[in-house]
Amino acid sequence: MKYEVSVRSLCEFTARKGDLDMRFSGGPSAIEGIAGHGRVTSRRPPHYEREITLIGEYRHLVVRGRADGFDHVENRLEEIKTYRGDLASMPRNQREFHWAQLRIYGHMLCEKLGLPVIHLTLVYFDIASESETLLDETADATGLRRYFEQHCEYFLCWSEQELGHRHARDESLAALRFPHSSFREGQRQLAETVYRTARQGASLMAQAPTGIGKTIGTLFPFLKACPSRKLDKVFFLTAKTSGRQPALDALALMHKGEQRLNLRVLELISRDKACEHPDKLCHGESCPLARGFYDRLPAARAAALAICELESGEASSNTLSRNTLRAVALDHGICPYYLSQELIRWSDVVVGDYNHYFDLNATLHELTVANQWRVGVLVDEAHNLLERARKMYTAELNPAILCVAYTAAPSKLRKPLGRLQRCWNKFGKGQDGHYSVYSAIPDQLTNLLQRAIAAVIEHAVEDPNGLTGALRDFYFEALHFRRISELFDKHWLFDSTKAGRSPGKGDLSFSLPENVLCLRNIVPAPFLAQRFASAQASVLFSATLAPPRFYRDMLGLSPDTTWIDVPSPFKAEQLSVRIVSHISTRFQERDASISPIVDLISRQYKTRPANYLSFFSSYDYLRQVVTLLRSRYPEIPVKEQTRGMEETEQAEFLAGFTSASQHIGFVVLGGSFAEAIDLPGKRLVGAFIATLGLPQVNGVNEQMRQRMETLFGAGYEYAYFFPGIQKVVQAAGRVIRTQQDEGVIYLIDDRYARMDVRQLLPTWWEVKQLKKERQAHLASPVFTRVAGPGM
């Protein structure tokens, strides 16, 4: 059996030594790198061959790669590396890593063409000056073969271990049984559909109700399909930190009892949460866990993976959790975060955040493409991916950050920062009104921004400890803005919002720009589509993925993506859904709605004292209702969500909902208590939803509506209507969590009686309308034009 490895992966394993050093990491973006390669190769003669696919074999190893370019006349093989900053500051071990790649390519090309000798050239291309620095050496084929075999020998034992693990993994997955005695109602249909999707290498959107067991119902069949589909890895991606634990629990459940999985599970967390020394920089001169990182990495890597290996069926866990990795890393004196990044290569299932795969420079996607992995992607609570992706591809320039950075900057940086500030000010003075949208980004602004970035990088190179605090914050914000500006097209808005002048802590001589500049992504589909295309199979699942056309368009899913609506295990008798059509929660009628809402809530509570949640469109609306309720019915216990609640305060709020408690919690729709919380049984028996959930009408949302109309012919639906109803259904889903639960939901607004709204509510609901002062009118189906958000 052959073991395939890329040239890059082989050299990362065998050729990296010394310190971890991220000082030279503020380099070109992927787009800049591609453009830089193109610029270099365009300068070469017509006979120059580009992108040469090469392969080398040694015993059971198959090494694959693609060299950048070869000049047949000069017999010269080139490896092109783009950079920004001072090349002399590049760490020595990084340069040695580049040479290792080039020499491996040199051996494979000599083998392919029968060359006795070859000229090797490292080409370093400065994207700022567009200048090339060439480093040359001449090597004979015999020496290059010996070099290649030495690296392969070093990797052989590891590759044999990996071959054995892969064989054992696939055998255990083929024999895997569902960990429960039976499937829940609807869960079998979900599992069978996911299995077929994974086997066929397709994509699926699965709308499945809360309580059906979506996590185990997707992970189990996907893992079963891995051997036949020859998947290297499965990525389980979540919207929130809390979403990781159910996946880890499900994977642990499949590993219990007599059933043992030869499966390596890795939990990924962000660098900020994993960092042991947040006051230090990521290089050996600053952080002790970066010093000698690559020298101690092999032992730490082996120790971590040994935890997952089955020894006579005694392994109690196959999961490299956050705490487990931290213990291993610190035991070997290396950084936990970068150990976890290394272990991605050797794991079978990675549980992480959306950002780890979908972000602009996402590690999981980058490694997938570089190593040509065959991966499967599971997207949990997929209705959240739209807003999360928009944030990933949105960039902002805040004048306050520039001001503080200018104050903290050394004198040599004040000149480029000052030029940027003056251009920014000039741009802001031409703005009419509080909010404006522009069709293009001024070239002068992007050029000056790039010069400021380059100046900060040069400063960081000269003073390794100089890129801290405000200057670092500005650098990362500016770098992200510059990279997003390269992608700017019809899927973005370039807008400017007046922020007003603030004295802050900045230099008094600095004229603070008044406007926040934003490259606002509104349709992430083109970029998400690239991520989904890199996967062999993708499954997106949530309780709210309707209508399917909306999510296909916004998430970049192919038109042939399968969509299923899994039947609910719950019965209509468990939930009383009542439409309160005589109350309007429109902004213009909000004051008039407060008193009848208070009376409605009190009547229900007095009829059945228990735990309820009341959802409102804003904190102001919520506060008005709470104030009147406390005044009119002081005997009813009340808890309320407040702005900016910390995680500990949120946990305390939820902990108050016990089987013995009886009170009403007032929260904001779309906030932290509107989804992904589990209050089964008597912990929550009802909900009042006093809003249709429509986003606020403002300049940004109106621009989004216009753009959605242009792109999809459904501006109001895509910008307001569908996102609003999705929030309502998610909030309502907090009430019935198990097949034993019983509860009530009040949908408070006359618009809930419309047919276009009713079509998007769960099909298992039996909705009753409470009529009082007015008859609800019925509108037409979902894609018929409906009244705008102002009504």
Side-chain angles (χ1 to χ4, degrees), residues 30 51 98 150 154 186 260 271 452 603 671 751:
E51 300 290 329
H98 294 160
Q150 286 173 350
Y154 185 69
R260 296 288 185 174
R271 179 161 58 180
R603 284 197 301 271
R751 289 167 290 182

Side-chain angles (χ1 to χ4, degrees), residues 265-340:
V265 178
L266 174 66
E267 179 188 9
L268 282 185
I269 61 173
S270 68
R271 179 161 58 180
D272 290 343
K273 292 181 179 179
C275 184
E276 293 289 320
H277 298 288
D279 59 323
K280 295 178 171 57
L281 301 177
C282 294
H283 59 84
E285 296 175 22
S286 176
C287 180
L289 299 182
R291 193 174 305 126
F293 177 89
Y294 292 115
D295 299 329
R296 293 191 290 275
L297 174 61
R301 178 175 53 211
L305 295 185
I307 295 172
C308 300
E309 298 305 315
L310 295 179
E311 296 291 342
S312 304
E314 296 176 357
S316 60
S317 173
N318 59 357
T319 300
L320 295 169
S321 67
R322 170 183 182 173
N323 292 334
T324 300
L325 271 180
R326 179 176 183 270
V328 172
L330 296 184
D331 188 48
H332 289 80
I334 65 172
C335 173
Y337 173 75
Y338 285 103
L339 175 60
S340 72

